[in-house]
Amino acid sequence: MTYADLAAGFVVGAAAIAIVATIRRRLSARWWLTTGLTISVLVLLTIVFDSLMIIADLFRFDADSLVGVRLWRAPIEDLAWPVAAGLLLPALRELLAPDRDPAEPGR
């Protein structure tokens, strides 16, 4: 199993939970825009700090388990984790929150 296979499983699972949250909670485009912006910031921070840690030689990856595409020094597979977290955590918050008052505007 490669890093990409493992990461893809997490992203697919997080996306499925986000879709369920969207349907069950009737989440608006505003929620998705905010979630997308959050994911973008997390991905950018991951690229920067992953690259700095690799430059500092804090860790190494098995080259045979990588796809080979890198952004600066960060392998593309590492970007799946902020994407999964950015989808999963807000979706779980919506799913686990108590029901809203029907008179309250949608999120």
Side-chain angles (χ1 to χ4, degrees), residues 23-84:
I23 293 167
R24 292 192 71 203
R25 291 296 190 158
R26 295 186 180 110
L27 299 175
S28 67
R30 181 177 151 217
W31 184 88
W32 278 100
L33 182 64
T34 304
T35 301
L37 181 61
T38 301
I39 291 170
S40 299
V41 170
L42 289 173
V43 165
L44 179 63
L45 289 171
T46 300
I47 292 168
V48 170
F49 288 103
D50 238 26
S51 295
L52 291 175
M53 288 187 290
I54 291 168
I55 290 168
D57 202 26
L58 294 178
F59 58 88
R60 295 180 185 154
F61 293 97
D62 177 19
D64 294 335
S65 297
L66 293 174
V67 173
V69 178
R70 292 181 180 265
L71 295 174
W72 192 11
R73 297 277 177 105
I76 196 84
E77 294 89 343
D78 266 11
L79 301 183
W81 308 115
V83 171

